[in-house]
Amino acid sequence: MRAADAVSHAGHAGGFPATALLPAVTFWAYLAAALRLRDPGGPGWAHRRTASFGLGTLLVAAGLLAPGDDFVGHMWQHLLIGMLAPLALVLGAPVTLLLRTLDRRTARRLVHLLRHPAARVLGHPVTGLLLTAGGLWLLYLTPLYRATLENPLLHTLVQAHFLLSGALFAWSVAGPDPGPHRPRVPVRLVVLGAGVAAHATIAQLLYAGVLVDVPATGAELRAGATLMYYLGDLAEIALALALLATWRPERPAGRRATRPAAAPVRA
């Protein structure tokens, strides 16, 4: 089987990939939960959150339906599913929505689970960086990419990995949802910078055709690497802006200490 045929078979087996229906189902479940908060007198749910999550599911569906006939098509799939969609999904705050729609007992159990030491390790930005950037290096510098061309199931699992690891990284860096104790914003910016460097390096290796194991022509490698370099930068800039938008500089210790004394005066 030729590489191009294998990619096409992996991405569009049966004419229409059944996995492309999952984003639509996920969005309808999210929308149903959001509508439950529209009771009169209730706090409601921000429309921008719903729009962001809807955009994320749309990007996932576009990535699953995008033709993967060559390496350029594969790169479009990766950028849509692994970089652009995760940020939009995370900014939709799905965990917060879930906590507000669950009963109190179940919500408390979920919060307790999020505070587990294992969740703290998993939710650290360095973990997300290792899973996302490390996954890219493993995919392109080993025979793994070749294997996905011949194995549709493996191809789907790799896509799922990049979607989940991308969402984990975006959430750990700038997610509005509650979670384990996150490092301070400067630390998260440093981790994000390391991710930008790792992403740019693998793009440059692909452009030069050095050390990579990708069965594609030189022109395809250069075109795919260019997409990865520039559109990947846009996704990372958007993630940095999302982080900075939520940054609240810490007050000096002296000011924090005087706040309790000032409260009775205002009352």
Side-chain angles (χ1 to χ4, degrees):
M1 181 183 294
R2 293 185 301 109
D5 295 336
V7 176
S8 179
H9 173 68
H12 298 276
F16 185 90
T19 51
L21 297 175
L22 293 177
V25 173
T26 303
F27 177 66
W28 282 115
Y30 179 100
L31 186 60
L35 291 175
R36 289 181 57 186
L37 301 179
R38 294 188 61 185
D39 295 335
W45 185 249
H47 294 308
R48 72 179 187 280
R49 299 293 188 199
T50 303
S52 180
F53 195 85
L55 175 61
T57 57
L58 182 63
L59 290 171
V60 173
L64 293 173
L65 294 173
D69 298 336
D70 55 19
F71 185 67
V72 177
H74 158 82
M75 191 55 66
W76 273 111
Q77 291 178 338
H78 167 69
L79 290 168
L80 290 170
I81 297 174
M83 299 196 71
L84 298 174
L87 177 58
L89 293 172
V90 164
L91 293 181
V95 176
T96 300
L97 177 61
L98 181 62
L99 288 172
R100 290 178 59 178
T101 53
L102 290 173
D103 61 88
R104 290 186 178 180
R105 177 177 296 182
T106 306
R108 287 175 180 173
R109 290 177 179 174
L110 179 57
V111 171
H112 180 72
L113 181 63
L114 291 173
R115 291 176 177 172
H116 193 277
R120 176 171 296 189
V121 175
L122 183 63
H124 197 281
V126 173
T127 303
L129 174 63
L130 292 175
L131 290 173
T132 54
L136 280 176
W137 285 68
L138 182 66
L139 180 64
Y140 297 129
L141 272 66
T142 73
L144 179 59
Y145 177 74
R146 288 180 179 270
T148 63
L149 300 179
E150 302 293 340
N151 190 325
L153 177 59
L154 181 60
H155 179 265
T156 301
L157 291 176
V158 168
Q159 287 182 324
H161 164 79
F162 282 114
L163 174 62
L164 295 176
S165 63
L168 177 64
F169 184 59
W171 171 68
S172 66
V173 171
D177 280 325
H181 175 69
R182 291 186 175 100
R184 294 181 178 181
V185 169
V187 175
R188 283 181 273 165
L189 284 173
V190 170
V191 176
L192 179 57
V196 172
H199 192 266
T201 300
I202 190 65
Q204 291 169 352
L205 290 176
L206 285 169
Y207 190 90
V210 176
L211 300 178
V212 297
D213 187 5
V214 177
T217 65
E220 290 175 353
L221 281 175
R222 289 188 292 273
T226 300
L227 279 175
M228 172 186 273
Y229 190 87
Y230 290 106
L231 292 185
D233 277 354
L234 289 178
E236 287 153 346
I237 290 172
L239 180 56
L241 291 176
L243 172 58
L244 294 175
T246 60
W247 188 5
R248 298 295 182 268
E250 297 184 1
R251 295 173 179 244
R255 291 187 179 180
R256 290 198 301 267
T258 60
R259 290 181 66 182
V265 176
R266 291 195 299 270

